Amino acid sequence: MTPLAAAANENLAQISNYLIYSSMAVYTLAFFAHIAEWTFGSRSKVARTAAALTGSEQDRAGAAPAVQVRQKGARSSGGAGETGGSTAVLDQPKVVTRSAAGTRDVPDGPGAGGGTVQGDLYGRIAISLTALAFLIEAGGVLARAMSVQRAPWGNMYEFSITFSTVAVGTYLALLALKKNVRWLGLILVTSVLLDLGIAVKILYTDSDQLVPALHSYWLWIHVSTAIFCGAVFYIGAAGAVLYLFRDAYEGRIENGGTAGKFYASVMERLPSAASLDKFSYRINAAVFPLWTFTIIAGAIWAGDAWGRYWNWDPKEVWSFVTWVAYACYLHARATAGWKGRKAAYLALFAFACWIWNYYGVNMFLNGLHSYSGV
């Protein structure tokens, strides 16, 4: 490499670092915007009244019918819901999902913004900042790739910055597809800031070339799918965590218990437990075949690089353990006796195996993958 090319690569590496730090600054602003969304998005008086009426209907009919607020003597504004000159009926649409026989029929909450204008405004600002930070971080990953003239996945630092980029990109894609996932924003941004903080302070590695064994087109195939799977598994795990909280809250209310004002406000704005359970299951089930392909692709690459498809290397073993854990989760989720909380705990255990395979195996265990470095 000529001195001029080396200097150009060094400049690109510095640009990459600058962009990663800049994305962290914008993610921090998005974090505070999400905090404001949850803080100022407390449920309005109308929403609280509607919830109370829904609860009364549930007590009488054992179900959650559409909310109706009637104002006698008020003039109707016309359109859908008009039932006469003296009665105005406001029909609030609700989403009811059922994941298993016996699951509660509970409408989804109004979201982090609580159905209020101010909460929604802060939420939109948070999403805009998240999208901006995503573009800046993606630019940092691209600059890193240009500085080393290869796929930017040769060490844990590069893997981490790409992982968080893909996780945010998946979240934004779900929003673009009109999926109800805005409630995930605060958790996602917080996790991304933690991931990037660990990457730049602990895992950072200077730009360098790969060892000969990694110079293969399988790097693009195997590692890229591993990163994507991990990012999607993370989103599924976040859904499982929130499901556990929401399910516990619904169970407490159903049994006549009470909850603190702040805790109740947060829980009531989330999707129902049934919706979160279904969301987590669908996310994990959708990406599981790709994780299977990731392991197969890694075995093929191992055969090309080391002459053996399977060496019982710690990374290989824990990749397989993760596969088994998710396979057990999907099987359990399809079995009536393991739906709900038991299946959610199993999903979190499977994701914990993935996290250990990434951090623990790379940092504490030696194997054939150790040459990639921290």
Side-chain angles (χ1 to χ4, degrees):
M1 180 181 298
T2 64
L4 183 61
N9 290 343
E10 180 63 26
N11 289 335
L12 285 171
Q14 293 178 358
I15 291 174
S16 173
N17 296 340
Y18 173 77
L19 290 174
I20 295 300
Y21 276 102
S22 297
S23 71
M24 293 177 66
V26 181
Y27 278 129
T28 302
L29 295 177
F31 169 80
F32 286 115
H34 277 298
I35 290 291
E37 178 188 17
W38 282 96
T39 301
F40 295 102
S42 59
R43 304 181 71 185
S44 64
K45 181 178 180 180
V46 172
R48 289 196 299 269
T49 303
L53 291 176
T54 303
S56 299
E57 289 293 328
Q58 284 178 304
D59 292 339
R60 292 194 298 269
V67 177
Q68 293 186 335
V69 179
R70 300 180 182 273
Q71 298 174 335
K72 293 184 178 181
R75 179 179 297 274
S76 171
S77 60
E82 181 176 346
T83 61
S86 62
T87 303
V89 179
L90 174 62
D91 291 325
Q92 177 178 311
K94 68 180 182 65
V95 178
V96 175
T97 60
R98 182 179 289 275
S99 63
T103 299
R104 311 176 195 92
D105 286 330
V106 179
D108 288 337
T116 64
V117 174
Q118 189 175 23
D120 182 68
L121 174 62
Y122 282 113
R124 292 179 183 275
I125 292 174
I127 296 299
S128 299
L129 290 171
T130 302
L132 176 60
F134 163 76
L135 294 176
I136 296 173
E137 186 182 10
V141 174
L142 179 60
R144 178 76 176 198
M146 295 174 63
S147 71
V148 293
Q149 299 180 358
R150 57 168 172 79
W153 312 316
N155 50 63
M156 289 186 68
Y157 168 75
E158 295 173 353
F159 192 102
S160 293
I161 62 175
T162 307
F163 170 83
S164 57
T165 303
V166 174
V168 176
T170 303
Y171 169 69
L172 294 175
L174 290 173
L175 286 175
L177 293 173
K178 307 298 183 181
K179 302 299 182 180
N180 178 25
V181 294
R182 225 167 87 171
W183 45 268
L184 185 61
L186 179 59
I187 297 176
L188 176 69
V189 170
T190 304
S191 301
V192 166
L193 284 171
L194 178 62
D195 174 74
L196 291 178
I198 294 174
V200 300
K201 293 299 182 181
I202 300 176
L203 304 178
Y204 181 78
T205 304
D206 290 331
S207 300
D208 200 358
Q209 295 303 312
L210 300 174
V211 297
L214 295 181
H215 283 288
S216 171
Y217 61 88
W218 284 107
L219 175 66
W220 293 89
I221 300 173
H222 172 64
V223 183
S224 64
T225 55
I227 292 173
F228 180 78
C229 289
V232 178
F233 281 148
Y234 160 76
I235 292 177
V241 169
L242 291 179
Y243 160 76
L244 292 174
F245 281 102
R246 173 75 186 200
D247 181 68
Y249 172 76
E250 290 180 7
R252 180 186 302 178
I253 299 302
E254 184 179 40
N255 294 325
T258 59
K261 182 178 180 180
F262 174 77
Y263 179 71
S265 175
V266 171
M267 289 295 105
E268 289 172 0
R269 282 180 276 167
L270 289 174
S272 66
S275 293
L276 291 169
D277 179 46
K278 184 178 293 185
F279 170 80
S280 179
Y281 170 69
R282 287 180 172 177
I283 287 289
N284 289 322
V287 79
F288 179 73
L290 189 59
W291 181 248
T292 304
F293 170 78
T294 300
I295 295 177
I296 294 173
I300 296 173
W301 188 10
D304 290 344
W306 304 320
R308 292 180 59 186
Y309 292 107
W310 194 263
N311 296 280
W312 296 104
D313 177 73
K315 179 71 69 174
E316 296 172 348
V317 170
W318 278 98
S319 294
F320 180 68
V321 170
T322 303
W323 183 91
V324 171
Y326 273 107
C328 291
Y329 160 73
L330 296 177
H331 176 72
R333 183 56 177 72
T335 304
W338 273 83
K339 287 183 178 179
R341 299 185 68 85
K342 292 181 180 179
Y345 288 131
L346 191 51
L348 294 178
F349 171 76
F351 183 68
C353 290
W354 191 92
I355 290 293
W356 168 256
N357 188 34
Y358 175 48
Y359 284 106
V361 171
N362 283 11
M363 291 182 172
F364 304 113
L365 301 178
N366 293 322
L368 294 172
H369 290 77
S370 300
Y371 54 65
S372 61
V374 173

